[in-house]
Amino acid sequence: MIEIKNLYKYYGNLMAVNNLNLFVEKGEIFGFIGPNGAGKSTTIKILSTLLNPSAGLCKINGINVVDEPYKVRRILGYMPDLFGLYEELKVFEYLDFFAACHKIPYKDRNAIINDILELTDLTVKKDSPVGGLSRGMKQRLCLAKTLIHDPLVLVLDEPASGLDPRGRVEMRMLLNELRKMGKTIFVSSHILTELADFCTSVGIIEAGRLVVSGRIEDVVKSQGVNRHIKLKIIDNVELCETILKSTPEISNIEAAVLEKVFTFEMRADDQALADLLRHLIHNGVQVVSFYDKGGNLEDIFMKVTKGQVS
Amino acid sequence: MPQRLIKIYETLKPAMIFEFIYRQNHAPLVSYAISALAICGCFLFGQWPYEQEALHNSFGDRFFTVIMVYTIAVATVLATGHAALSISSEKEKKTLTLLRMSGLGPGEIVFSKAAVSLCFTVFILLPAAPLITICPFLGGISGQAILKSLLILFVSLLFYISAGIFISILFKKSYTCIAFATAFLLILHFGFFIIDDAISYASGASYYSRHNYRYLSVFSPLEMWRSFFDSIQAAVTPNYKPFSPESYFSLTSGESAAIYFGAAVILFYSGVKIFENYLKWREN
C-alpha cells in the first residue's frame, strides 16, 4: 500500500532523509518513530505530496506521489502536526466545507458528516464553534476532516502531541477503530508508549536513516530485546516466584507481595509466553492478569538510536 | 540634540499607533487607508483632466466624475488588498495545507479566492451604484458611457485581483503581501509617470511638465481613466480639446482595458501554474 524506495531529501546541504526504504502493507498501522529532527515530518510531507523528494520513489496504492499528486490526494487523508482550523465556523459547517471540497454530493454530505461525528465522538459539538473546542476536540475534528472522503490511507503526523492523558487514550481508541475499518495508517510519533499499544509494525528513523523496521514481534526478536510482563495472581505467591525464578529466559523479577503482582523481563516470543502462562495455571497459580506491557519498543529505540539528528 | 530626538520621536509616534493597530489585526485597514490616500494624492497631483471648463457643462457628469473617482480609488485598493491577503492569510493560519490536501486543484483554490475578493469588492462598492445610475438623469452623461465605465472598472478589478492573488501566492506573511501590493499599486499608477518625467528631464525638459513626452505612462491606469473621462467630456462639450501629450502611441480606454484584461489572464494563469511547485519549493 505504501512503498518508499531509496528516498533522499536534501535541504540545501542538509540531508533530511537518507536512502529510506519502507513498505507498509494494506490494513497495517505503521508507527514511524524517531527523535525530533530525525526526518519523520519530511518523509510524511513527501508521502502526502506536499514536498518533492530529491531522489527516490514514493508510491501510495501504486500511484507515484511526484507524478500524480492529485490522484494520491484523493485516496490519502493527511493530518499535519501543526494545523489551523477555520475557528469562526461551526463543527458541522467546517466538515461540510471540506466535504464540498472533496466534491461529495450535497445529498450525501449530511449522513457522512453525522457518521464521522459519531466516530470521532463529536456529535454533541456539532453546532459548536470550532474556536471554542478544546485541544483534544480540535485534534479529533482535524482527524474527522481527514476522514471525510473515506481515504484508503491515513498519514498522521504526531496526532496525539499536546493532548492530555485522556485525549491520548481517546485518540488511541479512535485509531484502533479506524484500523478495524481496514484503513492503512502511517502514524509518526516520538512518544513510544503511544505507539506500542496499537501499531502492527514500526520503523525507527534517526538522522534521516531508517535504522530498523518491520512487524513489532519481528523487530523485538531481531533486536534481542526483553519483553516486559506484568503478572497479577490471587494466591500461591511463593510457588509463582519459584516458577518464575526457575525459568531461564526470565530476568529482573520484581514482586509486590502484598498486591500479589510480579513484573519481570523475558526474552521470548508469543509461544514461549503462552507456555509460561499455561505452566503457571497448570501448577495451581490463580492468574488474574498476564500482560505484555510493550515497553520493549522503548528498549529497542534506545538500543538502535544514538541521539543523532539530521 | 535632545530637541532633535524629541522631534524624531514625535514624527514616529503615528507609526507607533499604526503598529498598535497592526497588532490588533487591522493591518488591511491601515494599508487601505494609506493606499487610498496615496491614490487620492495622485489625482490631486494633477494627472486628472484639467480642462475644468468642460466639467461645468452640467451637473450629471460632474457628479458622476466625483462618484467614479471615489469608486475607482476604493475598488483599486480594496480588490488588491483583499486578494493579496487571501492566500497569505491561509498560510498564516496554517489552513492552506488542509486546503491543498482537500482535493481542490490549484486552479480551483486560486479561482475561489479571486471570486471571493471580487464579490467582497463589489459588495463594498454597491452603495455607489444608485448614485452612479442617477447620473444620466442629471444630464451631461449617457447611460452608455456609464455602462462602459462599469465595464472598464470590472476589467480593472480582474487585473487588480489577479495581481493581488499572485502576490499572495509568492509571500508567506500577510504584512509582506500588503506591503508589496501597496508598492505595486504605487508603481503601477505613478511609477510610469516618474520614469517618463525622468527621461524627459534627462532629455532637457523642465523638471516637471504635463507636456513632457510620454513613453510608458500610456499604460498607467490613470491614463486609461483620463482617456475615458476625456471621451465623456468630448461627447458633451462642443469643440472640446482633450489633453494629449506627445507619445509614440496613444491608447483609448477600451484598448487599455483590453491590455489589462490580457494582463489579468496572464497573471491568473501564472498564479495557477506556479501555485503547487512554488509552495513545494518554498518548503525547501
Side-chain angles (χ1 to χ4, degrees):
Chain A
M1 185 55 92
I2 299 174
E3 189 185 356
I4 299 175
K5 269 186 188 169
N6 306 324
L7 188 75
Y8 288 88
K9 180 66 192 174
Y10 294 93
Y11 293 111
N13 293 327
L14 179 81
M15 187 186 276
V17 179
N18 182 4
N19 195 21
L20 188 73
N21 288 282
L22 264 183
F23 188 80
V24 181
E25 281 178 34
K26 192 179 177 206
E28 273 203 73
I29 301 189
F30 183 86
F32 199 41
I33 308 165
N36 292 326
K40 298 189 300 290
S41 291
T42 300
T43 309
I44 279 182
K45 278 183 182 169
I46 293 170
L47 268 182
S48 311
T49 75
L50 293 168
L51 199 59
N52 281 341
S54 305
L57 181 79
C58 229
K59 280 184 178 177
I60 290 185
N61 204 23
I63 308 167
N64 192 319
V65 298
V66 178
D67 297 340
E68 297 177 283
Y70 301 108
K71 249 185 179 178
V72 170
R73 287 175 193 182
R74 279 200 284 274
I75 57 160
L76 182 104
Y78 168 61
M79 181 177 167
D81 53 346
L82 293 170
F83 57 86
L85 298 163
Y86 298 112
E87 307 229 325
E88 63 281 7
L89 295 182
K90 289 178 180 171
V91 168
F92 183 87
E93 291 168 340
Y94 180 80
L95 293 176
D96 190 53
F97 170 71
F98 279 101
C101 289
H102 281 292
K103 320 256 181 332
I104 295 171
Y106 181 75
K107 60 182 173 54
D108 300 336
R109 277 189 228 156
N110 207 16
I112 291 171
I113 293 169
N114 284 333
D115 285 350
I116 287 175
L117 285 173
E118 204 176 317
L119 178 72
T120 50
D121 202 16
L122 283 170
T123 307
V124 287
K125 294 287 177 185
K126 188 176 174 181
D127 295 316
S128 305
V130 172
L133 298 181
S134 67
R135 175 73 195 256
M137 285 177 181
K138 283 181 180 171
Q139 296 275 97
R140 273 189 277 152
L141 179 62
C142 190
L143 188 59
K145 176 217 75 72
T146 308
L147 294 168
I148 200 96
H149 60 300
D150 194 20
L152 293 173
V153 179
L154 286 171
V155 176
L156 314 173
D157 196 357
E158 307 272 2
S161 69
L163 294 185
D164 58 19
R166 189 178 180 79
R168 283 187 185 173
V169 170
E170 285 171 352
M171 182 59 76
R172 200 159 57 213
M173 284 162 64
L174 186 52
L175 293 181
N176 267 323
E177 271 305 305
L178 293 169
R179 179 192 170 190
K180 284 176 198 161
M181 290 164 70
K183 308 275 181 209
T184 306
I185 305 175
F186 189 98
V187 54
S188 88
S189 183
H190 54 253
I191 304 165
L192 302 171
T193 47
E194 207 176 71
L195 294 174
D197 286 346
F198 63 88
C199 285
T200 52
S201 55
V202 289
I204 298 176
I205 185 173
E206 188 181 38
R209 189 182 283 273
L210 192 72
V211 284
V212 66
S213 80
R215 297 190 72 81
I216 289 186
E217 313 87 82
D218 299 340
V219 170
V220 169
K221 213 173 181 180
S222 69
Q223 295 299 318
V225 176
N226 292 342
R227 301 174 82 157
H228 294 245
I229 311 296
K230 188 174 179 181
L231 170 67
K232 185 170 169 56
I233 58 174
I234 293 177
D235 54 10
N236 289 341
V237 176
E238 291 82 11
L239 174 64
C240 182
E241 197 167 4
T242 310
I243 293 171
L244 293 178
K245 281 182 177 168
S246 64
T247 309
E249 292 87 4
I250 291 176
S251 59
N252 295 335
I253 301 169
E254 285 176 25
V257 179
L258 286 178
E259 293 88 2
K260 294 170 184 161
V261 171
F262 290 89
T263 53
F264 54 90
E265 291 177 26
M266 186 173 178
R267 183 169 295 186
D269 56 11
D270 286 350
Q271 186 57 54
L273 282 179
D275 289 344
L276 173 67
L277 180 60
R278 189 161 43 81
H279 186 56
L280 285 168
I281 295 167
H282 185 73
N283 283 284
V285 179
Q286 288 184 290
V287 179
V288 177
S289 68
F290 187 85
Y291 173 60
D292 182 358
K293 290 202 294 182
N296 39 38
L297 205 53
E298 210 161 74
D299 293 343
I300 296 168
F301 183 77
M302 292 310 288
K303 190 176 175 186
V304 299
T305 59
K306 299 180 184 74
Q308 297 170 343
V309 289
S310 300
Chain B
M1 190 63 183
Q3 284 296 322
R4 196 178 169 82
L5 283 175
I6 290 166
K7 203 173 174 181
I8 292 169
Y9 171 70
E10 290 296 331
T11 314
L12 288 174
K13 231 176 170 180
M16 289 165 71
I17 295 165
F18 286 142
E19 169 70 14
F20 176 74
I21 297 171
Y22 264 91
R23 283 181 195 284
Q24 296 297 308
N25 298 323
H26 290 117
L29 190 72
V30 180
S31 306
Y32 293 158
I34 293 169
S35 309
L37 281 174
I39 287 167
C40 292
C42 157
F43 289 122
L44 293 172
F45 183 58
Q47 304 300 345
W48 198 246
Y50 66 100
E51 283 78 7
Q52 292 300 317
E53 64 279 11
L55 296 172
H56 294 292
N57 279 330
S58 58
F59 181 66
D61 58 327
R62 275 179 285 151
F63 186 61
F64 173 74
T65 305
V66 171
I67 297 294
M68 256 334 250
V69 168
Y70 169 78
T71 306
I72 293 162
V74 171
T76 303
V77 175
L78 272 191
T80 317
H82 193 276
L85 287 172
S86 58
I87 292 175
S88 59
S89 63
E90 297 274 358
K91 289 180 197 168
E92 276 190 339
K93 285 192 285 184
K94 298 189 189 304
T95 48
L96 188 62
T97 308
L98 303 183
L99 266 188
R100 284 168 71 197
M101 293 301 295
S102 70
L104 293 176
E108 287 168 303
I109 295 176
V110 172
F111 181 80
S112 310
K113 288 292 178 188
V116 168
S117 294
L118 186 66
C119 291
F120 171 79
T121 314
V122 169
F123 180 76
I124 295 287
L125 295 178
L126 273 181
L131 297 174
I132 290 171
T133 47
I134 60 164
C135 290
F137 302 102
L138 301 173
I141 185 161
S142 67
Q144 201 183 9
I146 286 176
L147 281 179
K148 190 181 172 188
S149 73
L150 293 179
L151 187 65
I152 294 173
L153 182 64
F154 182 76
V155 171
S156 307
L157 281 183
L158 293 183
F159 171 71
Y160 292 126
I161 287 170
S162 301
I165 295 271
F166 193 81
I167 290 169
S168 196
I169 292 169
L170 293 184
F171 302 102
K172 205 173 175 182
K173 298 279 180 194
S174 293
Y175 67 81
T176 318
C177 289
I178 283 296
F180 271 87
T182 309
F184 164 77
L185 286 181
L186 292 173
I187 290 166
L188 180 75
H189 286 81
F190 312 125
F192 294 145
F193 289 97
I194 292 167
I195 292 167
D196 282 358
D197 284 349
I199 295 169
S200 298
Y201 183 62
S203 315
S206 58
Y207 174 65
Y208 176 76
S209 161
R210 290 188 57 80
H211 294 280
N212 282 348
Y213 204 86
R214 293 287 164 90
Y215 302 95
L216 296 172
S217 53
V218 287
F219 296 108
S220 167
L222 297 178
E223 274 297 302
M224 176 177 72
W225 286 110
R226 186 194 62 74
S227 169
F228 171 74
F229 282 101
D230 267 352
S231 69
I232 292 177
Q233 295 307 317
V236 295
T237 313
N239 305 320
Y240 177 74
K241 194 169 170 281
F243 167 68
S244 53
E246 283 185 72
S247 64
Y248 283 117
F249 61 95
S250 59
L251 297 169
T252 63
S253 54
E255 288 164 347
S256 297
I259 289 173
Y260 279 113
F261 182 73
V265 171
I266 291 168
L267 278 171
F268 185 83
Y269 183 74
S270 312
V272 172
K273 278 284 158 198
I274 67 164
F275 186 79
E276 266 297 322
N277 290 332
Y278 181 76
L279 290 176
K280 283 182 184 173
W281 179 79
R282 284 288 298 226
E283 283 273 353
N284 284 331

